[in-house]
PDB file of all heavy atoms in Angstrom:
ATOM      1  N   ARG A 168       5.075   6.251 -10.530  1.00  0.00           N
ATOM      2  CA  ARG A 168       4.778   6.833 -11.769  1.00  0.00           C
ATOM      3  C   ARG A 168       5.071   8.278 -11.688  1.00  0.00           C
ATOM      4  O   ARG A 168       5.274   8.855 -12.853  1.00  0.00           O
ATOM      5  CB  ARG A 168       3.298   6.547 -12.177  1.00  0.00           C
ATOM      6  CG  ARG A 168       3.001   5.165 -12.437  1.00  0.00           C
ATOM      7  CD  ARG A 168       3.722   4.612 -13.689  1.00  0.00           C
ATOM      8  NE  ARG A 168       3.239   3.381 -14.027  1.00  0.00           N
ATOM      9  CZ  ARG A 168       2.288   3.142 -15.065  1.00  0.00           C
ATOM     10  NH1 ARG A 168       1.712   4.173 -15.599  1.00  0.00           N
ATOM     11  NH2 ARG A 168       1.791   2.136 -15.395  1.00  0.00           N
ATOM     12  N   PHE A 171       4.163  14.480  -7.001  1.00  0.00           N
ATOM     13  CA  PHE A 171       3.624  15.735  -7.214  1.00  0.00           C
ATOM     14  C   PHE A 171       3.620  16.626  -6.034  1.00  0.00           C
ATOM     15  O   PHE A 171       3.511  16.068  -4.878  1.00  0.00           O
ATOM     16  CB  PHE A 171       2.167  15.532  -7.570  1.00  0.00           C
ATOM     17  CG  PHE A 171       1.864  14.734  -8.868  1.00  0.00           C
ATOM     18  CD1 PHE A 171       2.003  13.374  -8.709  1.00  0.00           C
ATOM     19  CD2 PHE A 171       1.488  15.294 -10.082  1.00  0.00           C
ATOM     20  CE1 PHE A 171       1.802  12.556  -9.897  1.00  0.00           C
ATOM     21  CE2 PHE A 171       1.346  14.519 -11.142  1.00  0.00           C
ATOM     22  CZ  PHE A 171       1.402  13.187 -11.103  1.00  0.00           C
ATOM     23  N   TYR A 173       1.845  20.115  -4.487  1.00  0.00           N
ATOM     24  CA  TYR A 173       0.691  21.100  -4.692  1.00  0.00           C
ATOM     25  C   TYR A 173       0.736  22.220  -3.613  1.00  0.00           C
ATOM     26  O   TYR A 173       1.303  21.861  -2.528  1.00  0.00           O
ATOM     27  CB  TYR A 173      -0.635  20.467  -4.606  1.00  0.00           C
ATOM     28  CG  TYR A 173      -1.043  19.597  -5.831  1.00  0.00           C
ATOM     29  CD1 TYR A 173      -0.596  18.376  -5.974  1.00  0.00           C
ATOM     30  CD2 TYR A 173      -1.918  20.141  -6.835  1.00  0.00           C
ATOM     31  CE1 TYR A 173      -0.903  17.669  -7.129  1.00  0.00           C
ATOM     32  CE2 TYR A 173      -2.283  19.546  -7.922  1.00  0.00           C
ATOM     33  CZ  TYR A 173      -1.696  18.271  -8.094  1.00  0.00           C
ATOM     34  OH  TYR A 173      -2.126  17.459  -9.195  1.00  0.00           O
ATOM     35  N   GLN A 175      -1.762  24.757  -1.478  1.00  0.00           N
ATOM     36  CA  GLN A 175      -3.103  24.947  -1.134  1.00  0.00           C
ATOM     37  C   GLN A 175      -3.249  26.195  -0.160  1.00  0.00           C
ATOM     38  O   GLN A 175      -2.783  26.149   0.927  1.00  0.00           O
ATOM     39  CB  GLN A 175      -3.841  23.747  -0.465  1.00  0.00           C
ATOM     40  CG  GLN A 175      -5.313  23.871  -0.304  1.00  0.00           C
ATOM     41  CD  GLN A 175      -5.923  22.662   0.233  1.00  0.00           C
ATOM     42  OE1 GLN A 175      -5.447  21.915   0.876  1.00  0.00           O
ATOM     43  NE2 GLN A 175      -7.267  22.570  -0.018  1.00  0.00           N
ATOM     44  N   GLY A 178      -9.277  27.833   2.049  1.00  0.00           N
ATOM     45  CA  GLY A 178     -10.556  27.954   1.340  1.00  0.00           C
ATOM     46  C   GLY A 178     -10.557  27.820  -0.120  1.00  0.00           C
ATOM     47  O   GLY A 178     -11.553  27.925  -0.781  1.00  0.00           O
ATOM     48  N   LYS A 179      -9.392  27.188  -0.649  1.00  0.00           N
ATOM     49  CA  LYS A 179      -9.226  26.862  -2.092  1.00  0.00           C
ATOM     50  C   LYS A 179      -8.741  25.566  -2.365  1.00  0.00           C
ATOM     51  O   LYS A 179      -8.395  24.788  -1.443  1.00  0.00           O
ATOM     52  CB  LYS A 179      -8.275  27.872  -2.627  1.00  0.00           C
ATOM     53  CG  LYS A 179      -8.647  29.424  -2.485  1.00  0.00           C
ATOM     54  CD  LYS A 179      -7.739  30.362  -3.377  1.00  0.00           C
ATOM     55  CE  LYS A 179      -8.273  31.780  -3.287  1.00  0.00           C
ATOM     56  NZ  LYS A 179      -7.387  32.632  -4.149  1.00  0.00           N
ATOM     57  N   GLY A 180      -8.893  25.146  -3.594  1.00  0.00           N
ATOM     58  CA  GLY A 180      -8.564  23.797  -4.017  1.00  0.00           C
ATOM     59  C   GLY A 180      -6.979  23.853  -4.213  1.00  0.00           C
ATOM     60  O   GLY A 180      -6.293  24.912  -4.345  1.00  0.00           O
ATOM     61  N   PRO A 181      -6.332  22.613  -4.071  1.00  0.00           N
ATOM     62  CA  PRO A 181      -4.889  22.588  -4.409  1.00  0.00           C
ATOM     63  C   PRO A 181      -4.510  23.028  -5.753  1.00  0.00           C
ATOM     64  O   PRO A 181      -5.185  22.807  -6.720  1.00  0.00           O
ATOM     65  CB  PRO A 181      -4.598  21.061  -4.223  1.00  0.00           C
ATOM     66  CG  PRO A 181      -5.686  20.621  -3.330  1.00  0.00           C
ATOM     67  CD  PRO A 181      -6.798  21.369  -3.752  1.00  0.00           C
ATOM     68  N   THR A 186       5.834  18.198 -11.044  1.00  0.00           N
ATOM     69  CA  THR A 186       5.799  16.656 -11.163  1.00  0.00           C
ATOM     70  C   THR A 186       7.244  16.145 -11.262  1.00  0.00           C
ATOM     71  O   THR A 186       7.958  16.766 -12.059  1.00  0.00           O
ATOM     72  CB  THR A 186       5.094  16.092 -12.314  1.00  0.00           C
ATOM     73  OG1 THR A 186       3.661  16.599 -12.296  1.00  0.00           O
ATOM     74  CG2 THR A 186       4.876  14.551 -12.196  1.00  0.00           C
ATOM     75  N   TYR A 188       9.649  12.639 -11.824  1.00  0.00           N
ATOM     76  CA  TYR A 188       9.360  11.291 -12.353  1.00  0.00           C
ATOM     77  C   TYR A 188      10.415  10.211 -11.842  1.00  0.00           C
ATOM     78  O   TYR A 188      10.094   9.010 -11.689  1.00  0.00           O
ATOM     79  CB  TYR A 188       9.384  11.263 -13.812  1.00  0.00           C
ATOM     80  CG  TYR A 188       8.246  11.989 -14.395  1.00  0.00           C
ATOM     81  CD1 TYR A 188       8.404  13.310 -15.045  1.00  0.00           C
ATOM     82  CD2 TYR A 188       6.908  11.486 -14.423  1.00  0.00           C
ATOM     83  CE1 TYR A 188       7.470  14.040 -15.617  1.00  0.00           C
ATOM     84  CE2 TYR A 188       5.967  12.336 -15.002  1.00  0.00           C
ATOM     85  CZ  TYR A 188       6.149  13.433 -15.627  1.00  0.00           C
ATOM     86  OH  TYR A 188       5.031  14.223 -16.114  1.00  0.00           O
ATOM     87  N   LEU A 224       1.265  20.327  -0.295  1.00  0.00           N
ATOM     88  CA  LEU A 224       0.889  18.834  -0.234  1.00  0.00           C
ATOM     89  C   LEU A 224       1.740  18.131  -1.195  1.00  0.00           C
ATOM     90  O   LEU A 224       2.124  18.587  -2.335  1.00  0.00           O
ATOM     91  CB  LEU A 224      -0.551  18.761  -0.793  1.00  0.00           C
ATOM     92  CG  LEU A 224      -1.636  19.456   0.064  1.00  0.00           C
ATOM     93  CD1 LEU A 224      -2.911  19.469  -0.627  1.00  0.00           C
ATOM     94  CD2 LEU A 224      -1.808  18.926   1.392  1.00  0.00           C
ATOM     95  N   GLN A 228       1.883   8.928  -7.430  1.00  0.00           N
ATOM     96  CA  GLN A 228       1.040   8.140  -8.229  1.00  0.00           C
ATOM     97  C   GLN A 228       1.785   6.820  -8.532  1.00  0.00           C
ATOM     98  O   GLN A 228       2.924   6.806  -8.945  1.00  0.00           O
ATOM     99  CB  GLN A 228       0.676   8.714  -9.510  1.00  0.00           C
ATOM    100  CG  GLN A 228      -0.188   8.050 -10.547  1.00  0.00           C
ATOM    101  CD  GLN A 228      -0.373   8.750 -11.913  1.00  0.00           C
ATOM    102  OE1 GLN A 228       0.485   9.293 -12.336  1.00  0.00           O
ATOM    103  NE2 GLN A 228      -1.518   8.521 -12.369  1.00  0.00           N
ATOM    104  N   GLY A 231      -0.615   3.787 -12.467  1.00  0.00           N
ATOM    105  CA  GLY A 231      -1.785   4.499 -13.081  1.00  0.00           C
ATOM    106  C   GLY A 231      -2.942   4.712 -12.250  1.00  0.00           C
ATOM    107  O   GLY A 231      -4.088   5.103 -12.593  1.00  0.00           O
ATOM    108  N   ALA A 233      -5.087   6.620  -8.941  1.00  0.00           N
ATOM    109  CA  ALA A 233      -5.199   8.160  -8.520  1.00  0.00           C
ATOM    110  C   ALA A 233      -4.110   8.604  -7.558  1.00  0.00           C
ATOM    111  O   ALA A 233      -3.471   7.656  -6.898  1.00  0.00           O
ATOM    112  CB  ALA A 233      -6.619   8.205  -7.968  1.00  0.00           C
ATOM    113  N   LEU A 234      -3.943   9.795  -7.423  1.00  0.00           N
ATOM    114  CA  LEU A 234      -2.871  10.329  -6.449  1.00  0.00           C
ATOM    115  C   LEU A 234      -3.215  10.102  -5.117  1.00  0.00           C
ATOM    116  O   LEU A 234      -4.443  10.098  -4.753  1.00  0.00           O
ATOM    117  CB  LEU A 234      -2.816  11.944  -6.750  1.00  0.00           C
ATOM    118  CG  LEU A 234      -2.394  12.428  -8.037  1.00  0.00           C
ATOM    119  CD1 LEU A 234      -2.122  13.930  -7.948  1.00  0.00           C
ATOM    120  CD2 LEU A 234      -1.076  11.673  -8.597  1.00  0.00           C
ATOM    121  N   PHE A 236      -2.248  11.386  -1.426  1.00  0.00           N
ATOM    122  CA  PHE A 236      -1.735  12.589  -0.742  1.00  0.00           C
ATOM    123  C   PHE A 236      -1.194  12.399   0.599  1.00  0.00           C
ATOM    124  O   PHE A 236      -1.733  11.559   1.386  1.00  0.00           O
ATOM    125  CB  PHE A 236      -2.834  13.564  -0.735  1.00  0.00           C
ATOM    126  CG  PHE A 236      -3.014  14.289  -2.129  1.00  0.00           C
ATOM    127  CD1 PHE A 236      -3.979  13.709  -2.973  1.00  0.00           C
ATOM    128  CD2 PHE A 236      -2.556  15.458  -2.327  1.00  0.00           C
ATOM    129  CE1 PHE A 236      -4.166  14.246  -4.197  1.00  0.00           C
ATOM    130  CE2 PHE A 236      -2.655  16.038  -3.614  1.00  0.00           C
ATOM    131  CZ  PHE A 236      -3.585  15.515  -4.572  1.00  0.00           C
ATOM    132  N   LYS A 238      -0.525  14.459   4.373  1.00  0.00           N
ATOM    133  CA  LYS A 238      -1.348  15.311   5.061  1.00  0.00           C
ATOM    134  C   LYS A 238      -0.905  16.700   5.089  1.00  0.00           C
ATOM    135  O   LYS A 238      -1.734  17.640   5.437  1.00  0.00           O
ATOM    136  CB  LYS A 238      -1.341  14.881   6.535  1.00  0.00           C
ATOM    137  CG  LYS A 238      -2.026  13.459   6.758  1.00  0.00           C
ATOM    138  CD  LYS A 238      -2.008  13.065   8.162  1.00  0.00           C
ATOM    139  CE  LYS A 238      -2.569  11.638   8.267  1.00  0.00           C
ATOM    140  NZ  LYS A 238      -2.588  11.151   9.680  1.00  0.00           N
TER     141      LYS A 238
ATOM    142  N   TYR B 316     -12.058  12.861 -10.527  1.00  0.00           N
ATOM    143  CA  TYR B 316     -11.948  12.323  -9.189  1.00  0.00           C
ATOM    144  C   TYR B 316     -12.723  13.160  -8.129  1.00  0.00           C
ATOM    145  O   TYR B 316     -12.881  14.327  -8.360  1.00  0.00           O
ATOM    146  CB  TYR B 316     -10.463  12.369  -8.786  1.00  0.00           C
ATOM    147  CG  TYR B 316      -9.497  11.881  -9.864  1.00  0.00           C
ATOM    148  CD1 TYR B 316      -9.002  12.734 -10.797  1.00  0.00           C
ATOM    149  CD2 TYR B 316      -9.096  10.575  -9.840  1.00  0.00           C
ATOM    150  CE1 TYR B 316      -8.114  12.224 -11.777  1.00  0.00           C
ATOM    151  CE2 TYR B 316      -8.224  10.063 -10.781  1.00  0.00           C
ATOM    152  CZ  TYR B 316      -7.764  10.924 -11.781  1.00  0.00           C
ATOM    153  OH  TYR B 316      -6.808  10.454 -12.718  1.00  0.00           O
ATOM    154  N   TYR B 318     -12.415  13.828  -4.049  1.00  0.00           N
ATOM    155  CA  TYR B 318     -11.619  13.688  -2.742  1.00  0.00           C
ATOM    156  C   TYR B 318     -12.452  14.377  -1.643  1.00  0.00           C
ATOM    157  O   TYR B 318     -13.224  15.312  -1.911  1.00  0.00           O
ATOM    158  CB  TYR B 318     -10.298  14.307  -2.796  1.00  0.00           C
ATOM    159  CG  TYR B 318      -9.216  13.500  -3.664  1.00  0.00           C
ATOM    160  CD1 TYR B 318      -9.220  13.746  -5.162  1.00  0.00           C
ATOM    161  CD2 TYR B 318      -8.289  12.744  -3.025  1.00  0.00           C
ATOM    162  CE1 TYR B 318      -8.224  13.085  -5.777  1.00  0.00           C
ATOM    163  CE2 TYR B 318      -7.358  12.091  -3.774  1.00  0.00           C
ATOM    164  CZ  TYR B 318      -7.352  12.276  -5.130  1.00  0.00           C
ATOM    165  OH  TYR B 318      -6.396  11.555  -5.938  1.00  0.00           O
ATOM    166  N   GLN B 320     -11.573  16.220   2.179  1.00  0.00           N
ATOM    167  CA  GLN B 320     -10.503  16.752   2.895  1.00  0.00           C
ATOM    168  C   GLN B 320     -10.842  17.034   4.372  1.00  0.00           C
ATOM    169  O   GLN B 320     -11.808  17.945   4.633  1.00  0.00           O
ATOM    170  CB  GLN B 320      -9.796  18.017   2.305  1.00  0.00           C
ATOM    171  CG  GLN B 320      -8.488  18.477   3.075  1.00  0.00           C
ATOM    172  CD  GLN B 320      -7.902  19.576   2.227  1.00  0.00           C
ATOM    173  OE1 GLN B 320      -8.455  20.549   1.679  1.00  0.00           O
ATOM    174  NE2 GLN B 320      -6.531  19.456   2.111  1.00  0.00           N
ATOM    175  N   GLY B 323      -6.323  16.905   9.788  1.00  0.00           N
ATOM    176  CA  GLY B 323      -5.613  15.757  10.295  1.00  0.00           C
ATOM    177  C   GLY B 323      -5.562  14.457   9.536  1.00  0.00           C
ATOM    178  O   GLY B 323      -4.772  13.560   9.713  1.00  0.00           O
ATOM    179  N   LEU B 326      -6.218  14.645   2.135  1.00  0.00           N
ATOM    180  CA  LEU B 326      -7.094  14.420   1.034  1.00  0.00           C
ATOM    181  C   LEU B 326      -7.266  12.901   0.847  1.00  0.00           C
ATOM    182  O   LEU B 326      -6.210  12.257   0.788  1.00  0.00           O
ATOM    183  CB  LEU B 326      -6.482  14.922  -0.307  1.00  0.00           C
ATOM    184  CG  LEU B 326      -6.717  16.552  -0.478  1.00  0.00           C
ATOM    185  CD1 LEU B 326      -5.763  17.031  -1.497  1.00  0.00           C
ATOM    186  CD2 LEU B 326      -8.138  16.828  -0.897  1.00  0.00           C
ATOM    187  N   LEU B 328      -9.311   9.850  -1.378  1.00  0.00           N
ATOM    188  CA  LEU B 328     -10.104   9.556  -2.629  1.00  0.00           C
ATOM    189  C   LEU B 328     -11.332   8.845  -2.315  1.00  0.00           C
ATOM    190  O   LEU B 328     -11.422   7.765  -1.664  1.00  0.00           O
ATOM    191  CB  LEU B 328      -9.166   8.744  -3.546  1.00  0.00           C
ATOM    192  CG  LEU B 328      -9.887   8.363  -4.942  1.00  0.00           C
ATOM    193  CD1 LEU B 328      -9.979   9.685  -5.830  1.00  0.00           C
ATOM    194  CD2 LEU B 328      -9.006   7.346  -5.720  1.00  0.00           C
ATOM    195  N   PHE B 373     -13.588  17.975  -2.743  1.00  0.00           N
ATOM    196  CA  PHE B 373     -13.001  18.490  -3.977  1.00  0.00           C
ATOM    197  C   PHE B 373     -13.037  17.508  -5.113  1.00  0.00           C
ATOM    198  O   PHE B 373     -12.793  16.402  -5.059  1.00  0.00           O
ATOM    199  CB  PHE B 373     -11.452  18.748  -3.646  1.00  0.00           C
ATOM    200  CG  PHE B 373     -11.154  19.921  -2.747  1.00  0.00           C
ATOM    201  CD1 PHE B 373     -10.941  19.643  -1.456  1.00  0.00           C
ATOM    202  CD2 PHE B 373     -11.182  21.181  -3.276  1.00  0.00           C
ATOM    203  CE1 PHE B 373     -10.528  20.714  -0.639  1.00  0.00           C
ATOM    204  CE2 PHE B 373     -10.827  22.312  -2.434  1.00  0.00           C
ATOM    205  CZ  PHE B 373     -10.538  22.052  -1.121  1.00  0.00           C
ATOM    206  N   VAL B 380      -5.161   9.081 -17.189  1.00  0.00           N
ATOM    207  CA  VAL B 380      -4.673   8.378 -15.999  1.00  0.00           C
ATOM    208  C   VAL B 380      -3.313   7.874 -16.079  1.00  0.00           C
ATOM    209  O   VAL B 380      -2.709   7.437 -15.136  1.00  0.00           O
ATOM    210  CB  VAL B 380      -5.547   7.232 -15.673  1.00  0.00           C
ATOM    211  CG1 VAL B 380      -6.970   7.636 -15.415  1.00  0.00           C
ATOM    212  CG2 VAL B 380      -5.586   6.126 -16.814  1.00  0.00           C
ATOM    213  N   SER B 381      -2.702   7.961 -17.227  1.00  0.00           N
ATOM    214  CA  SER B 381      -1.309   7.511 -17.438  1.00  0.00           C
ATOM    215  C   SER B 381      -0.387   8.456 -16.768  1.00  0.00           C
ATOM    216  O   SER B 381      -0.648   9.541 -16.238  1.00  0.00           O
ATOM    217  CB  SER B 381      -0.958   7.446 -18.898  1.00  0.00           C
ATOM    218  OG  SER B 381      -1.187   8.579 -19.599  1.00  0.00           O
ATOM    219  N   ARG B 382       0.877   7.992 -16.775  1.00  0.00           N
ATOM    220  CA  ARG B 382       1.861   8.696 -16.031  1.00  0.00           C
ATOM    221  C   ARG B 382       2.092  10.174 -15.988  1.00  0.00           C
ATOM    222  O   ARG B 382       2.186  10.692 -17.071  1.00  0.00           O
ATOM    223  CB  ARG B 382       3.247   8.086 -16.381  1.00  0.00           C
ATOM    224  CG  ARG B 382       4.471   8.429 -15.750  1.00  0.00           C
ATOM    225  CD  ARG B 382       5.599   7.545 -16.266  1.00  0.00           C
ATOM    226  NE  ARG B 382       6.915   7.946 -15.729  1.00  0.00           N
ATOM    227  CZ  ARG B 382       7.732   8.810 -16.381  1.00  0.00           C
ATOM    228  NH1 ARG B 382       7.493   9.372 -17.503  1.00  0.00           N
ATOM    229  NH2 ARG B 382       8.858   9.040 -15.846  1.00  0.00           N
ATOM    230  N   GLY B 383       2.016  10.694 -14.878  1.00  0.00           N
ATOM    231  CA  GLY B 383       2.542  12.118 -14.704  1.00  0.00           C
ATOM    232  C   GLY B 383       1.675  13.277 -15.003  1.00  0.00           C
ATOM    233  O   GLY B 383       2.116  14.448 -14.868  1.00  0.00           O
ATOM    234  N   TYR B 384       0.388  13.020 -15.209  1.00  0.00           N
ATOM    235  CA  TYR B 384      -0.418  14.210 -15.528  1.00  0.00           C
ATOM    236  C   TYR B 384      -0.936  14.834 -14.144  1.00  0.00           C
ATOM    237  O   TYR B 384      -1.513  14.171 -13.424  1.00  0.00           O
ATOM    238  CB  TYR B 384      -1.677  13.863 -16.409  1.00  0.00           C
ATOM    239  CG  TYR B 384      -1.327  13.718 -17.810  1.00  0.00           C
ATOM    240  CD1 TYR B 384      -1.134  12.344 -18.343  1.00  0.00           C
ATOM    241  CD2 TYR B 384      -1.148  14.738 -18.683  1.00  0.00           C
ATOM    242  CE1 TYR B 384      -0.804  12.095 -19.638  1.00  0.00           C
ATOM    243  CE2 TYR B 384      -0.847  14.477 -19.953  1.00  0.00           C
ATOM    244  CZ  TYR B 384      -0.751  13.160 -20.515  1.00  0.00           C
ATOM    245  OH  TYR B 384      -0.363  13.009 -21.811  1.00  0.00           O
ATOM    246  N   GLY B 385      -0.657  16.064 -13.944  1.00  0.00           N
ATOM    247  CA  GLY B 385      -1.116  16.769 -12.838  1.00  0.00           C
ATOM    248  C   GLY B 385      -2.635  16.843 -12.821  1.00  0.00           C
ATOM    249  O   GLY B 385      -3.276  16.902 -13.862  1.00  0.00           O
ATOM    250  N   TYR B 386      -3.094  17.016 -11.667  1.00  0.00           N
ATOM    251  CA  TYR B 386      -4.597  17.240 -11.448  1.00  0.00           C
ATOM    252  C   TYR B 386      -4.985  18.689 -11.465  1.00  0.00           C
ATOM    253  O   TYR B 386      -4.303  19.437 -10.880  1.00  0.00           O
ATOM    254  CB  TYR B 386      -5.076  16.531 -10.174  1.00  0.00           C
ATOM    255  CG  TYR B 386      -5.168  15.124 -10.081  1.00  0.00           C
ATOM    256  CD1 TYR B 386      -4.487  14.294 -11.163  1.00  0.00           C
ATOM    257  CD2 TYR B 386      -5.748  14.375  -9.081  1.00  0.00           C
ATOM    258  CE1 TYR B 386      -4.505  12.902 -11.016  1.00  0.00           C
ATOM    259  CE2 TYR B 386      -5.686  13.131  -9.006  1.00  0.00           C
ATOM    260  CZ  TYR B 386      -5.120  12.287 -10.007  1.00  0.00           C
ATOM    261  OH  TYR B 386      -5.064  10.860  -9.937  1.00  0.00           O
ATOM    262  N   PHE B 388      -7.762  20.981  -9.713  1.00  0.00           N
ATOM    263  CA  PHE B 388      -8.872  20.899  -8.712  1.00  0.00           C
ATOM    264  C   PHE B 388      -9.897  22.080  -8.795  1.00  0.00           C
ATOM    265  O   PHE B 388      -9.539  23.121  -9.163  1.00  0.00           O
ATOM    266  CB  PHE B 388      -8.198  20.977  -7.247  1.00  0.00           C
ATOM    267  CG  PHE B 388      -7.565  19.669  -6.847  1.00  0.00           C
ATOM    268  CD1 PHE B 388      -6.305  19.281  -7.301  1.00  0.00           C
ATOM    269  CD2 PHE B 388      -8.199  18.789  -6.070  1.00  0.00           C
ATOM    270  CE1 PHE B 388      -5.710  18.226  -6.778  1.00  0.00           C
ATOM    271  CE2 PHE B 388      -7.662  17.643  -5.614  1.00  0.00           C
ATOM    272  CZ  PHE B 388      -6.395  17.272  -6.099  1.00  0.00           C
ATOM    273  N   GLY B 389     -11.148  21.713  -8.388  1.00  0.00           N
ATOM    274  CA  GLY B 389     -12.180  22.798  -8.234  1.00  0.00           C
ATOM    275  C   GLY B 389     -11.838  23.527  -6.852  1.00  0.00           C
ATOM    276  O   GLY B 389     -10.935  23.205  -6.184  1.00  0.00           O
ATOM    277  N   SER B 390     -12.697  24.446  -6.486  1.00  0.00           N
ATOM    278  CA  SER B 390     -12.624  25.218  -5.319  1.00  0.00           C
ATOM    279  C   SER B 390     -13.182  24.640  -4.094  1.00  0.00           C
ATOM    280  O   SER B 390     -13.116  25.113  -2.974  1.00  0.00           O
ATOM    281  CB  SER B 390     -13.314  26.670  -5.555  1.00  0.00           C
ATOM    282  OG  SER B 390     -12.523  27.290  -6.589  1.00  0.00           O
TER     283      SER B 390
END
Side-chain angles (χ1 to χ4, degrees):
Chain A
R168 293 294 192 95
F171 299 76
Y173 284 82
Q175 186 175 24
K179 297 190 176 182
T186 307
Y188 296 105
L224 302 172
Q228 183 186 32
L234 296 190
F236 284 83
K238 296 178 181 179
Chain B
Y316 312 87
Y318 285 85
Q320 187 173 40
L326 283 160
L328 182 67
F373 288 101
V380 296
S381 56
R382 178 175 179 266
Y384 286 98
Y386 289 8
F388 281 84
S390 298

